[in-house]
């Protein structure tokens, strides 16, 4: 069974092909980073137009990579949400057109679930119950996946998403967009203990996270040092800021796992590409005797293979969508 997956929720036009739910056959990404970089962030109208231009060529490229023809495909999966409305609409419309023209079933995929389920391409069938941390540009959620595959959101950020915080601080430091990977790189040369930035809600006993205070603290500290005429080493700021974010994510997620008596932890979403977050999760889950499931970096950031994998899971359970499918920018993870 060959599933084609289309992802256009944000700034990557991405198409993947997955065979029999577990085998990655193609993963092609047309990145829009250069288009958005001059604005320092994703411009929704620019994203939608770029998706429109890139989508069909990306489908063709994915088919070539998979060594397949459109007539070999058994279903079309597409991200229905959450994401940017105009961007999602391009993918959903194209998926409907392909499904109609080829007489294929259409499958509606939740982008956040797909970030978690993509792990099956490298780890095989996920065996819930498990705890997942989904950290991306728009989301920071701690979720429990139950035996029946249902997701329950246990907590998450009450203000900024982790990726958003990375991108905003990077912009403040004058680093190029997207800022997450830049901070990650710079932090390697810095001292993680140089600044004692706040870890909000670290010990409040909930699964809630708050990152807006951290952002403000970084800006305030830099201004204070500047006013005092002190030299600031940007790598130290990057390393200390990153450590504050990582501390909270690791601590809250592993507390959720302990509270729920679960020994499997999935790390998912674009920020899961962060090297320090990966290293800390690896060390602490190992110390706790927990199993860490974390996709390789190209499968953490937005991609089409994750949509194909999640779509294949729905397809085999006959959970296909009709051609009346509508994009839902606010689609929830739970359910
Ligand atoms: O999942 P994703 O590709 O798109 C969304 O669904 O949002 O996540 C993108 C986010 C951006 O904020 C980007 O800066 C961040 O993931 N990111 C990283 C790293 N790589 C990507 N953040 C920190 N460290 C990284 N290495
Ligand atoms: Zn994403």
């Amino acid at each position: 069974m060959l599933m084609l997956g289309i992802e256009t929720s944000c700034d990557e036009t991405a198409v993947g092909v997955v065979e029999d739910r577990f085998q990655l056959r193609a993963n092609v990404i047309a990145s829009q980073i250069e288009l958005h970089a001059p604005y320092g962030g994703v411009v929704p109208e620019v994203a939608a137009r770029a998706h429109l231009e890139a989508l069909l060529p990306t489908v063709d490229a994915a088919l070539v990579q998979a060594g397949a023809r459109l007539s070999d495909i058994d279903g079309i999966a597409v991200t229905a949400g959450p994401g940017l409305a105009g961007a999602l609409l391009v993918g959903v419309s194209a998926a409907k057109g392909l499904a109609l023209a080829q007489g294929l079933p259409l499958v509606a995929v939740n982008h956040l679930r797909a970030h978690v389920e993509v792990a099956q391409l490298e780890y095989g069938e996920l065996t819930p119950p498990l705890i997942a941390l989904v950290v991306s540009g728009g989301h920071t959620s701690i979720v429990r996946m139950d035996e029946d595959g249902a997701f329950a959101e246990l907590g998450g950020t009450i203000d900024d998403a982790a990726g958003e915080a990375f991108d905003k601080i990077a912009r403040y430091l004058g680093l190029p967009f997207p800022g997450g990977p830049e901070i990650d790189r710079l932090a390697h040369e810095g001292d993680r203990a140089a600044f004692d930035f706040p870890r909000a809600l670290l010990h409040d006993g909930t699964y809630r996270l708050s990152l807006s205070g951290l952002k403000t603290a970084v800006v305030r500290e830099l201004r204070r040092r500047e006013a005092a005429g002190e030299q600031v080493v940007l790598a130290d700021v990057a390393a200390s800021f990153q450590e504050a974010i990582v501390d909270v994510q690791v601590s809250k997620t592993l507390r959720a796992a302990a509270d729920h008596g679960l020994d499997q932890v999935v790390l998912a979403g674009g920020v899961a590409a962060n090297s320090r977050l990966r290293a800390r999760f690896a060390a602490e889950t190992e110390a706790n005797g927990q199993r860490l499931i974390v996709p390789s970096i190209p499968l953490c950031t937005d991609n089409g293979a994750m949509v194909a994998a999640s779509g294949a899971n729905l397809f085999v359970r006959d959970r296909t969508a009709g051609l009346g499918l509508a994009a839902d920018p606010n689609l929830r993870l739970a359910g």
Side-chain angles (χ1 to χ4, degrees), residues 9 111 115 136 269-270 300 302 306:
S9 69
H111 182 85
H115 268 306
S136 70
C300 283
D302 287 351
M306 70 190 214

Side-chain angles (χ1 to χ4, degrees), residues 111 115 136-138 163-164 166-167 178-181 184 269-271 273-274 300-302:
H111 182 85
H115 268 306
S136 70
E164 196 181 345
F166 269 106
D167 293 341
D184 193 349
V271 180
N274 183 267
C300 283
T301 46
D302 287 351

Side-chain angles (χ1 to χ4, degrees), residues 133 135-136 267-275 277-278 294-297 300-301:
L133 171 66
V135 266
S136 70
L267 183 54
V271 180
N274 183 267
S275 61
L277 191 66
R278 296 170 82 88
V294 53
S296 60
I297 289 172
C300 283
T301 46

Side-chain angles (χ1 to χ4, degrees), residues 60-264:
D60 287 341
L63 287 170
V64 168
Q65 196 178 88
R69 280 188 256 198
L70 202 47
S71 56
D72 300 325
I73 298 294
D74 297 295
I76 308 285
V78 62
T79 301
L84 301 170
L88 288 167
L89 189 61
V90 174
V92 169
S93 305
K96 283 185 194 174
L98 285 171
L100 188 62
Q102 298 293 315
L104 291 173
L106 182 68
V107 187
V109 167
N110 181 314
H111 182 85
L112 300 173
R113 278 193 75 104
H115 268 306
V116 176
E117 292 180 325
V118 72
Q120 75 193 34
L121 298 177
E122 293 170 329
Y123 289 81
E125 187 91 73
L126 294 180
T127 50
L130 52 81
I131 289 286
L133 171 66
V134 184
V135 266
S136 70
H139 291 268
T140 299
S141 299
I142 297 171
V143 295
R144 193 187 66 229
M145 184 183 186
D146 289 321
E147 281 93 336
D148 61 359
F151 277 70
E153 194 156 356
L154 302 178
T157 181
I158 56 172
D159 39 55
D160 292 351
E164 196 181 345
F166 269 106
D167 293 341
K168 284 181 181 165
I169 286 301
R171 184 154 41 159
Y172 186 74
L173 298 181
L175 301 171
F177 167 84
E182 297 291 331
I183 297 228
D184 193 349
R185 236 188 313 277
L186 193 57
H188 283 290
E189 301 150 27
D191 175 3
R192 297 191 280 264
F195 296 86
D196 186 18
F197 291 133
R199 275 87 166 141
L201 311 180
L202 185 59
H203 300 296
D204 74 340
T206 73
Y207 309 127
R208 296 190 313 159
L209 295 86
S210 167
L211 295 174
S212 67
L214 168 60
K215 225 173 45 199
T216 315
V218 174
V219 172
R220 200 183 303 127
E221 180 65 14
L222 291 191
R223 290 211 180 118
R224 192 186 68 74
R225 300 229 179 179
E226 210 174 293
E230 290 175 38
Q231 276 283 45
V232 174
V233 181
L234 284 192
D236 288 348
V237 179
S240 302
F241 162 77
Q242 177 174 276
E243 199 65 9
I245 292 203
V246 168
D247 267 351
V248 183
Q249 317 267 328
V250 172
S251 155
K252 294 263 172 176
T253 306
L254 296 187
R255 177 164 330 122
D259 290 350
H260 289 251
L262 300 177
D263 61 1
Q264 299 187 85

